[in-house]
Amino acid sequence: MNVISRGFHGRRRDEGDRLPPGQYLVEDFPVLSAGPTPRVPLDRWEFAIDTEAGVTHRWSWPEFQALPQETPTVDIHCVTEWSKLDTSWEGVSLDVLFEDVDTDASYALVYSYGGYTTNLPLEDLLDGKAWIAHRFDGEELEPRHGGPARLIVPHLYFWKSAKWVRGIRLLDDDHPGFWETAGYHNYGDPWREQRYEGD
Ligand SMILES: Nc1nc2c(c(=O)[nH]1)N[C@H]1C(S)=C(S)[C@@H](COP(=O)(O)O)O[C@H]1N2
Ligand SMILES: [Mo]
């Protein structure tokens, strides 16, 4: 019996189970940015949650760093068909950031330094499904990958994971973001291959 070959097939089966339809695996980390990389000095950086009632919760960089940190390892799936398995991040769970936020809103519009926006149901940010990450692979998050900090929502196509994130506006009604108004799917579930409007 060939143990090496058994192990190899086992690993391949496992990876196959983790690859959504129409995706291929990459080892490198492609950069996809719709515009130039904004540079945000840390002493001017802030993250905000704006509620539908007009209340704003803000964190400066030191305040954000002082929050409990998590180190999620997740698979990410870009709509341009690459997937990367076991990416490791460090950041703050949205559950922590929403602890003192009083809201009845159903939708979130995420906005970034540089003007990018993306929308999703608020529930897709909660219950351990999303983080504001500031480290990748044990290093400070590079500006081209969204540093100082980016959203990570790994269960949706990676365009929902806003780089250079600046805040989240809570809304009673859905408000499509940058790619969502440009013909991409409003929700973007990679397992249901929701790439474009109508998929
Ligand atoms: N602010 C901002 N966030 C963004 C984007 C962008 O252009 N601007 N591109 C999105 C897309 S389409 C993808 S696939 C990922 C790419 O992240 P990466 O460049 O770190 O691979 O960021 C997403 N977040
Ligand atoms: Mo993407």
Side-chain angles (χ1 to χ4, degrees):
M1 164 128 359
N2 189 329
V3 174
I4 291 168
S5 134
R6 268 174 69 214
F8 180 65
H9 288 293
R11 179 160 163 269
R12 277 177 55 190
R13 213 166 21 248
D14 176 52
E15 288 184 349
D17 289 346
R18 291 163 67 184
L19 199 57
Q23 297 292 109
Y24 63 90
L25 288 176
V26 296
E27 293 295 332
D28 58 338
F29 194 173
V31 173
L32 280 104
S33 303
T37 295
R39 303 284 161 165
V40 191
L42 293 183
D43 59 358
R44 285 203 288 124
W45 183 92
E46 69 162 31
F47 177 76
I49 296 176
D50 316 295
T51 76
E52 77 281 19
V55 177
T56 299
H57 301 254
R58 297 173 196 284
W59 293 264
S60 66
W61 187 256
E63 288 166 343
F64 171 71
Q65 294 292 320
L67 295 171
Q69 306 284 324
E70 294 182 8
T71 53
T73 296
V74 296
D75 301 343
I76 55 179
H77 312 291
C78 175
V79 73
T80 63
E81 303 184 353
W82 57 266
S83 289
K84 188 170 170 60
L85 302 183
D86 293 324
T87 61
S88 56
W89 304 86
E90 181 176 335
V92 177
S93 167
L94 270 291
D95 295 318
V96 169
L97 293 158
F98 273 89
E99 249 163 41
D100 297 323
V101 175
D102 184 20
T103 181
D104 290 317
S106 299
Y107 299 99
L109 182 64
V110 184
Y111 55 95
S112 294
Y113 292 97
Y116 186 82
T117 57
T118 187
N119 60 302
L120 67 175
L122 174 55
E123 64 180 9
D124 285 84
L125 291 174
L126 303 176
D127 296 323
K129 294 200 283 289
W131 297 266
I132 304 295
H134 56 94
R135 295 179 71 80
F136 171 77
D137 227 357
E139 312 271 353
E140 221 168 75
L141 183 59
E142 287 177 75
R144 62 191 186 139
H145 284 300
R150 75 179 297 167
L151 180 64
I152 295 292
V153 198
H155 72 287
L156 299 177
Y157 279 124
F158 208 38
W159 88 76
K160 300 283 183 179
S161 295
K163 304 198 279 190
W164 316 297
V165 69
R166 179 178 191 168
I168 297 173
R169 183 172 306 280
L170 300 174
L171 300 166
D172 292 323
D173 298 305
D174 202 5
H175 183 105
F178 180 80
W179 287 117
E180 294 84 0
T181 48
Y184 283 83
H185 197 277
N186 193 53
Y187 184 63
D189 179 351
W191 295 97
R192 288 185 278 167
E193 220 174 341
Q194 295 174 335
R195 297 179 193 276
Y196 306 106
E197 197 180 341
D199 282 351

